[in-house]
Amino acid sequence: MAHPSHNRRTFAIISHPDAGKTTLTEKLLLYGGAIHTAGSVKARKAQRSATSDWMELEKKRGISITSSVMHFDFGGIRYNLLDTPGHQDFSEDTYRTLTAADCAIMLIDAAKGVEAQTRKLFDVCRMRGTPIVTFVNKLDRPARDPLDLMSEVEEVLGLNTAPCTWPIGSGELFQGVYDRIQQAVLRFERSEKNAKPVPVTVSGIDDPHLAELLGEGPVETLRDELELLDGAGDQYNRESFLAGRITPVFFGSALTNFGVEPFLAAFATMCPPPGPHHAADELTIEPEDPRFSGFIFKVQANMDPSHRDRIAFLRVCSGTYEGGMRVHHFRLNKEIRLARAEQVMAKERQTVETAYAGDIIGLYDPGLFRIGDTLATGGPISFDSVPRFSPEHFARMVLLDPMKRKQMQKGVEQLSEEGTVQLFLEPGREKDPIMGVVGELQFDVLKYRMQQEYGANVELQRLGFEHARWVDGPSSPEDLVRARISMGVADVDGRPVALLRDDWELRRAQEDNPDWVFNKTAPIRAA
Ligand code: G4P
């Protein structure tokens, strides 16, 4: 019998806000039978402010600060879809979530191409070699030239493209897509609610029937474009795809449901099952390994204010999770019992009895877990799967009520451990710590939680830095300042970190100090 992990596919969608992630997610969940009516995900997105009780701030803002994991079954396979928070709730969590995914769908708006947030998320995938399947969305609306879009992906992301389908016209003139693998035309027929894809098999691009079907002009254009692709484009090749060097590309329209089903069918064959994970001491853990192992990639506080609990999200890497099992907690070097795990699908939680490699479980956390922690049975294992990512916004935290120094310290320590913010200390000014975040909203969350949970009123004075770099070479933050870097600070582990104003300063710092290595990420230390 096949190992249960072989039936798991764990993936995330990377996109810029408004590209259609919610719409596509909903269509995937509909196909998978996880939801039954169109509009449910959308409605949830809209109603979050009204119904969510996760956090007061969330209510006020009307947005989701927290993310969730969804799952659905399709063709005998369990798909785990990790939600990557976007919009204003973009944070380090968004990056970290990708460390738990085995594959990503890159969703691109056909009128806009590769946008900023997609690029940032792509960088994380590139760093980890995550394979990417691309869906170009909104073809029912006026779109950019598809050849242009492909060049943009190649130039901006440095990722080769292998179009598996190709659009025939766009907007009002959108007729459907040509399936290059099946040599079939999938016609787009507008109907009241959804588009109806009508597959027509042709004997190839030279089939005389094509002109009758699509008209002389569009067929001419299609032939020219396909000829160009055949000559200059790349062919889909599984090995290059799995290595993250090439992306298969599909075109469609999530809203009208056009091209989603063939996309999902292709995705099902392409998306890889869980692979091995590398641990310390050159140990490689295969998903089939009978020892249970997994790592925490996200800790979410106060989902339910009446419980004041935390949920730690664990990605299972091998073995079987079973309720009540005892595991070794590497950082604490002790045995703990995993009393209760949940599958968290948005607000609804279900208790999980068993879980396999590729699955994500939410562990009830009485304060034992930190991001990057490894839990395992059968001996100590330590994965270093979740790095710290360079924050993009920085602020100095100044205490407004001097009597609350202890409270502030506790809050800063705990929130940085939880991974909500990153803490940096400037030599000589340790009492006004510098906080770094990936998404600006985290500053509001920070201020609010410092007040609500720790009773410390703080002011956050914004600092004009764009990058943090963990620097190999200097022995202290002072060395960085001597090298004319705007600010030298230490991270929570005492490592020297350069805070830099912009790309220009970063480049100059690298040129001036050719022996130093400026790292965009840093491993989270296990002890
Ligand atoms: P996001 O989660 O990535 O932010 O995007 P979301 O799915 O919410 O989609 C953003 C907008 O784009 C929505 O319109 C949605 O209906 C529209 N959209 C998504 N896919 C397609 C598509 O294939 N074709 C077209 N024409 N539009 C698409 P909205 O006006 O902001 O919301 P709504 O009023 O439709 O709910």
Side-chain angles (χ1 to χ4, degrees):
M1 220 179 78
H3 191 267
S5 74
H6 298 176
N7 297 335
R8 295 295 194 271
R9 302 291 183 273
T10 304
F11 70 104
I13 302 179
I14 61 171
S15 62
H16 194 78
D18 270 350
K21 190 181 74 179
T22 311
T23 313
L24 182 68
T25 300
E26 176 160 287
K27 295 292 145 84
L28 298 182
L29 294 179
L30 269 171
Y31 280 119
I35 54 168
H36 300 287
T37 40
S40 356
V41 178
K42 201 79 196 167
R44 215 178 61 222
K45 186 175 166 183
Q47 279 169 18
R48 264 174 187 166
S49 56
T51 58
S52 164
D53 57 1
W54 289 357
M55 260 184 109
E56 274 298 310
L57 189 71
E58 204 179 359
K59 266 192 219 165
K60 276 199 233 149
R61 288 269 182 169
I63 51 154
S64 157
I65 290 165
T66 46
S67 69
S68 50
V69 185
M70 291 163 256
H71 61 86
F72 60 93
D73 298 295
F74 183 81
I77 300 282
R78 160 66 53 97
Y79 290 85
N80 295 309
L81 168 52
L82 297 157
D83 190 15
T84 48
H87 296 262
Q88 304 96 312
D89 44 348
F90 188 66
S91 70
E92 204 175 351
D93 269 354
T94 315
Y95 292 152
R96 289 195 201 108
T97 297
L98 290 176
T99 64
D102 298 317
C103 186
I105 293 176
M106 178 162 73
L107 182 66
I108 291 178
D109 182 328
K112 299 197 173 137
V114 179
E115 296 176 86
Q117 197 158 301
T118 313
R119 199 151 55 201
K120 289 183 189 173
L121 294 168
F122 171 79
D123 277 348
V124 179
C125 294
R126 151 79 27 103
M127 191 180 93
R128 306 187 64 254
T130 309
I132 292 177
V133 184
T134 302
F135 187 79
V136 182
N137 191 28
K138 305 197 186 181
L139 259 297
D140 58 309
R141 287 229 299 247
R144 280 173 49 186
D145 178 348
L147 284 166
D148 254 18
L149 287 169
M150 294 305 96
S151 318
E152 186 168 285
V153 171
E154 304 206 345
E155 277 159 30
V156 175
L157 304 179
L159 178 65
N160 293 334
T161 58
C164 295
T165 63
W166 195 252
I168 308 161
S170 75
E172 286 296 307
L173 300 175
F174 182 52
Q175 299 210 47
V177 295
Y178 182 75
D179 184 328
R180 292 176 76 208
I181 296 160
Q182 307 288 334
Q183 303 214 322
V185 171
L186 269 180
R187 282 191 71 185
F188 174 79
E189 283 194 356
R190 285 171 209 268
S191 65
E192 276 284 299
K193 265 170 127 190
N194 279 335
K196 237 184 19 215
V198 187
V200 183
T201 308
V202 288
S203 62
I205 191 63
D206 295 320
D207 191 325
H209 190 52
L210 263 182
E212 278 166 45
L213 211 61
L214 308 170
E216 285 291 347
V219 171
E220 196 75 358
T221 313
L222 179 65
R223 282 204 186 110
D224 289 350
E225 288 175 344
L226 290 178
E227 208 175 277
L228 268 171
L229 282 183
D230 288 341
D234 289 281
Q235 292 288 331
Y236 171 70
N237 163 316
R238 187 157 175 86
E239 199 191 334
S240 306
F241 160 67
L242 291 180
R245 287 195 300 268
I246 195 170
T247 178
V249 182
F250 296 82
F251 292 82
S253 155
L255 183 69
T256 61
N257 221 359
F258 180 81
V260 175
E261 205 175 351
F263 167 68
L264 185 57
F267 181 71
T269 66
M270 291 171 172
C271 181
H277 277 80
H278 303 289
D281 302 328
E282 298 189 7
L283 198 64
T284 298
I285 307 289
E286 299 290 339
E288 297 88 359
D289 197 313
R291 289 174 289 182
F292 165 83
S293 70
F295 64 89
I296 310 271
F297 62 95
K298 179 181 159 77
V299 175
Q300 188 164 286
N302 302 341
M303 280 174 78
D304 184 345
S306 62
H307 292 260
R308 290 224 133 213
D309 57 357
R310 306 204 299 183
I311 298 280
F313 288 80
L314 175 126
R315 144 94 200 209
V316 182
C317 297
S318 68
T320 308
Y321 162 84
E322 272 159 9
M325 77 191 299
R326 301 191 72 82
V327 298
H328 181 261
H329 186 310
F330 187 85
R331 182 176 50 84
L332 301 179
N333 190 21
K334 71 174 195 188
E335 286 254 312
I336 57 166
R337 185 171 171 267
L338 298 181
R340 202 174 91 205
E342 291 169 332
Q343 219 137 33
V344 186
M345 181 143 167
K347 219 162 62 83
E348 299 128 45
R349 302 187 196 177
Q350 270 170 1
T351 303
V352 184
E353 298 304 335
T354 47
Y356 305 99
D359 286 339
I360 310 295
I361 52 177
L363 296 170
Y364 173 73
D365 179 16
L368 282 177
F369 303 124
R370 283 191 208 163
I371 287 158
D373 278 349
T374 306
L375 307 181
T377 58
I381 295 179
S382 167
F383 295 119
D384 55 359
S385 304
V386 193
R388 287 184 210 287
F389 293 90
S390 168
E392 290 158 33
H393 306 277
F394 301 83
R396 193 184 287 284
M397 184 183 279
V398 177
L399 182 63
L400 296 177
D401 174 0
M403 303 299 287
K404 297 285 168 83
R405 174 82 37 211
K406 273 224 175 83
Q407 285 85 337
M408 173 172 127
Q409 255 162 9
K410 187 167 169 227
V412 163
E413 256 165 45
Q414 288 193 350
L415 295 178
S416 91
E417 254 174 32
E418 194 186 280
T420 308
V421 289
Q422 285 190 53
L423 166 64
F424 301 103
L425 298 173
E426 188 187 5
R429 279 196 77 176
E430 283 86 355
K431 72 177 194 8
D432 303 323
I434 293 171
M435 315 306 290
V437 297
V438 164
E440 281 188 276
L441 181 67
Q442 294 306 114
F443 281 143
D444 291 2
V445 175
L446 172 64
K447 216 172 140 187
Y448 179 84
R449 290 187 58 189
M450 286 299 288
Q451 230 264 308
Q452 290 288 309
E453 294 170 32
Y454 302 96
N457 240 329
V458 297
E459 187 188 11
L460 291 169
Q461 298 168 351
R462 298 297 292 271
L463 301 171
F465 302 117
E466 274 179 20
H467 308 293
R469 291 291 180 268
W470 284 266
V471 193
D472 298 335
S475 51
S476 71
E478 286 87 348
D479 284 353
L480 293 165
V481 180
R482 278 191 284 275
R484 292 194 303 130
I485 282 164
S486 285
M487 195 183 280
V489 292
D491 76 355
V492 282
D493 296 315
R495 287 176 290 211
V497 177
L499 300 188
L500 303 138
R501 299 209 168 270
D502 48 25
D503 293 345
W504 186 85
E505 192 191 353
L506 174 59
R507 249 196 325 273
R508 199 204 61 196
Q510 283 168 324
E511 281 164 15
D512 288 355
N513 305 283
D515 297 338
W516 291 359
V517 184
F518 290 75
N519 301 292
K520 241 175 150 169
T521 58
I524 293 183
R525 298 245 164 102

